[in-house]
Amino acid sequence: MIKTTLLALFSIACTIANAQTVKGDTAIVRKHYYTQHIAGTVTLDGIPDEEAWNTVQWGGDFTQWMPNEGHAPSHPTSFKIMYDEKFLYVAYRCHDSAPDSIVRRMDRRDQFPGDWVEINIDSYHDLRTCFSFTLSASGVRSDEFASNDGNNWDANWNPIWFAKTHTATDGWTAEVKIPLSQLRYGNEANKVWGLQVNRRLFRKEERSYWQYIPQNSGVWVSRFGELHGLNNIPMHRQVEIAPYVIAQADKYKKEPGNPFAKGSEKKITVGLDGKLAVTNDLILDFTINPDFGQVEADPSQVRIDGFQNFFGERRPFFIESRNIFEYQLTGSEAGGDYDSDLLFYSRRIGGSPHGYPNINNGEYLKYPQNTSILGAAKFSGKTKKGWSIGVLESVTEREMATIDQSGNRRKELVEPFSNYFVGRVQKDIKSGNTIIGGIFTAVNREKGLNDILHRSAYSGGIDFLQYWKNRAWYLRGNIVFSQVQGSKEAILNTQTAFEHLFQRGDAPEVSVDSNRTSLTGLGGTVRFGKIGGRRGKHGEILRFETGLTFRSPQLELNDIGFMLTSNEINYFAWAGMQWQTPFSVFRQARINYNHWSRWDYGGQFLYQAFNTNTHATFKNNYQAGTGLTWNVYEVSNTALRGTSSMRQPGSLNHNIYLNTDSRKKVFLAFSMFNSWGFDNTVRNHDYGAGINYQPINALRISFDAGYSEYWRRQDQYVSTADYNGTTRTIVGEVKQNTLRFTGRLSYNITPDLTLQYYGQPYTTRPLYDHFAYVSDPLANKYNDRFHQYSPNEIKYTNGKFEVDENGDGNTDYSFNKPDFNFVQFRSNFVVRWEYKPGSELYLVWSQGNTPDASADIDRPLGESLTKNAFSNEQARNIFLIKCTYRFVR
């Protein structure tokens, strides 16, 4: 994902154009390369010396893209391309006058280590998508599928292809063989494909392109050169079948008397993955009884603000081609939490069950940790006429919990049988300068858990994107809808859930209706901006975006999507000046300005903030940045969990970071975030540091550490209570300290045989004090918003705080002590061997440990972490062997 991250930054500044060495904004000429059918054979050994290679000419004349854009590269690069009925053949000569300085770092697939060369192929020739094949000097293969003119990169696309490299006295060479079945193309007799070839010279962090692309253009695939001479290539229907078998053993602490905790479990699982080309450009992927035991564990997260955690997708079936199904209400430029809402969030499929049975004394429970996926299929691709199509369907199992009492067992439903559907379509018009699209999602469940789950949930939307001025300017937008249906109890739960809070007493725009059996909502975004254009006289370019996004109170996406909150109208604006060519001590630099405003549907003003931030890459390849945000005004509709809105203190936030040269054997990273609430009301300090050490080309070790201190003086939500027919919202001071570490080790025995370790100890501890109830939540003065309990009004007894508000000697209400001490350790050790292309063997040891650390809440944070996280008393160890074998036709 390293190169993906870099190209996500680069692609917004990439364009395609020129054969001659040019600078600035002079006209760009689209280059052509002419290939021919192979005459002879090629032995794939990395040395292109076979007679067959003499069939075609060398392509070359690369142009430097960075750091000295438009100049000749330090060392020339040349390539050849041939084809036959089954394969596309590519040869490279990467000249280097100092071959001993070629960096041949090893890493796992898709990590782009050291020196590399890359070919990008727009075989659809739609000027928007391409297949990318990257080969490092050490022989590590990386591949990606790019869409949206290079603005989306999918590194989880893993085609079958073959490559070898060789180091010579004048540089290094390579041979590549790409099966045509892995590409998508039309059935015309004489084909023209988009083509781009790139090279990275690692020691100078230099990039050079065959087809020159000015950094200020803001595009990528649409300016590729062209590959001509592909005549009468047969259509290939890709067929791949990959059965797998898993042997798994779990070890954990035995619990005397618990029939479900005997200390060990063993099981064998079989399943099947497959690909089938329905047409040459539309693929059906399917999986039956999928298993993701080799997938890295999620990072630990704990929030006390009520919002749900977001975890990235890690399962291969759902990651590959996910760019087709992505549909956000707005984009990352908007900033803030409200830009993370998705109509399709694949982690909803196969997640933890929603129900939980009631357990009596003397009963033991066997509870499924995840919902089993019986099968899933997706149909995706792009036609020659510019239609992008994606259809995904998945079925999950009915999950039951088993309860045992002295040998008598019963089962209770904790997740009903469910069907998930996503359909996405887009149409390119005018060579991709106009794009229109739509999406539809559906979740349907069998009867069961009717009081908490929707019987059905639907969402959909239409979207558009219009470019002009060579794609430098754009206007884009979407509008979405949602409808959920279910019992009165389920819909009531939705109305009063954290994302909606219809019960909020000061909200004229919403009210609770306990008789409703459905909710229908709307949302949308419109955005206008500039991402390209001409440079100023000092090489600077101005980019900006402004827009509006809205979510109606009834909008509900969380059955198959991800939504933090509803009932908001957000305005955002961003502008940035970027210097993309070296000057003074900088390789690149940029400075940005943002501001945000927010209202709810009742017209209440919620939020106003201003931000500026600056970032730079220096000529020594160090990176640094800093930012300042002034939060002028904030009212939260969620902080009190639905009793009322509450004004929150304004604040000043500052962040700063410094990274050393990531190419060095030792790479250091430092970061710091500080937030100060006005009138000494809030403090938040977060410190992070990391080290990446690569002692040899095949071994990489990294370690990251972070520590945060979070303090709110009075307004942290604790609980609610009834007092004389009114609701008391109880708040308090909170001090939350968090300590986190992440360690990784990667060792490559060969490019196809790797050992990887990941471990994360984590602890967080919020401690509460100085309790109060909310008396005037929107008061201008902070202290006027609360009534703090006096010592005579509150006392702590047997794990509870008892409140005698009227002073009559009797307890009027009580609430539990909210303090907790959370400790967790998660780790994976994976040996991965791709023993033949597409076929893999995994050896996995996974450990999860979330102990009860409440007894150590008074210990120092680090001491509590080391005592509990690494204890085997409550750890669960999973050992598995997974073998897949891919049959390819």
Side-chain angles (χ1 to χ4, degrees), residues 180-250:
L180 293 171
S181 63
Q182 305 299 303
L183 303 175
R184 305 288 169 261
Y185 50 86
N187 58 4
E188 64 276 4
N190 301 316
K191 296 174 175 54
V192 176
W193 292 352
L195 178 67
Q196 175 67 297
V197 182
N198 320 330
R199 180 183 175 185
R200 180 193 192 189
L201 186 64
F202 184 82
R203 64 183 181 273
K204 293 187 176 183
E205 194 54 281
E206 178 183 296
R207 307 293 178 91
S208 56
Y209 292 170
W210 171 67
Q211 175 67 69
Y212 172 62
I213 304 174
Q215 293 188 37
N216 65 314
S217 62
V219 295
W220 176 237
V221 183
S222 59
R223 302 289 179 84
F224 277 6
E226 293 181 349
L227 176 62
H228 291 254
L230 297 162
N231 300 323
N232 300 312
I233 295 177
M235 305 295 287
H236 291 274
R237 296 289 181 88
Q238 181 183 9
V239 179
E240 298 178 11
I241 302 294
Y244 75 81
V245 61
I246 294 175
Q248 177 176 326
D250 293 18

Side-chain angles (χ1 to χ4, degrees), residues 5 7 82 85 135 181 259 280 282 323 375 510 587 603 648 733 738 762 781 784 839:
T5 303
L7 280 174
M82 302 185 299
E85 282 69 29
L135 181 64
S181 63
N280 198 57
L282 295 172
N323 57 309
V510 292
R587 285 173 70 105
Q648 296 192 308
E733 173 192 32
T738 302
Y762 174 93
K781 293 184 178 180
D784 292 345
S839 300

Side-chain angles (χ1 to χ4, degrees), residues 419-455:
N419 179 271
Y420 297 84
F421 173 86
V422 185
R424 177 78 164 115
V425 64
Q426 285 183 296
K427 177 68 168 71
D428 296 352
I429 304 170
K430 297 180 181 179
S431 300
N433 286 306
T434 302
I435 303 161
I436 57 174
I439 189 172
F440 179 75
T441 75
V443 179
N444 288 282
R445 300 182 175 99
E446 69 172 353
K447 290 183 178 179
L449 301 183
N450 294 335
D451 57 334
I452 62 173
L453 289 179
H454 302 133
R455 181 178 65 254

Side-chain angles (χ1 to χ4, degrees), residues 17-157:
N18 166 336
Q20 65 242 78
T21 301
V22 296
K23 298 181 180 180
D25 305 296
T26 52
I28 304 302
V29 177
R30 198 182 296 271
K31 299 174 76 170
H32 295 174
Y33 181 85
Y34 293 89
T35 184
Q36 293 188 39
H37 192 283
I38 189 171
T41 59
V42 170
T43 301
L44 206 69
D45 56 8
I47 307 172
D49 58 358
E50 293 87 353
E51 182 64 27
W53 287 113
N54 294 328
T55 305
V56 292
Q57 300 296 314
W58 288 104
D61 191 21
F62 280 52
T63 303
Q64 195 174 152
W65 186 79
M66 65 173 293
N68 299 304
E69 184 184 5
H71 291 241
S74 300
H75 302 285
T77 307
S78 52
F79 65 91
K80 289 185 174 185
I81 301 175
M82 302 185 299
Y83 69 95
D84 61 18
E85 282 69 29
K86 291 185 177 182
F87 298 98
L88 192 73
Y89 300 87
V90 186
Y92 299 109
R93 286 195 182 278
C94 301
H95 299 272
D96 199 317
S97 59
D100 291 342
S101 299
I102 296 170
V103 179
R104 298 173 54 84
R105 288 187 181 174
M106 299 278 281
D107 213 323
R108 56 191 170 94
R109 186 169 179 169
D110 293 335
Q111 292 301 299
F112 310 92
D115 284 79
W116 50 254
V117 66
E118 173 184 281
I119 185 169
N120 295 267
I121 302 170
D122 175 14
S123 55
Y124 287 120
H125 206 215
D126 61 2
L127 309 183
R128 281 179 46 79
T129 60
C130 72
F131 301 93
S132 179
F133 301 86
T134 309
L135 181 64
S136 74
S138 60
V140 175
R141 291 171 297 140
S142 303
D143 31 61
E144 297 175 292
F145 175 73
S147 59
N148 194 20
D149 205 1
N151 286 305
N152 292 323
W153 291 80
D154 181 5
N156 298 285
W157 175 65

Side-chain angles (χ1 to χ4, degrees), residues 310-316 318-319 322 345-349:
F310 181 90
F311 294 104
E313 181 59 84
R314 298 170 183 269
R315 299 168 295 179
F318 294 105
I319 289 179
R322 67 178 173 181
Y345 176 47
S346 56
R347 291 294 296 263
R348 300 294 185 202
I349 303 174

Side-chain angles (χ1 to χ4, degrees), residues 66 74 204 264 296 400 444 496 605 620 696 785-786 888:
M66 65 173 293
S74 300
K204 293 187 176 183
S264 65
E296 187 175 280
M400 308 293 291
N444 288 282
T496 57
F605 186 50
N620 63 357
I696 59 176
R785 299 168 198 167
F786 318 102
V888 181

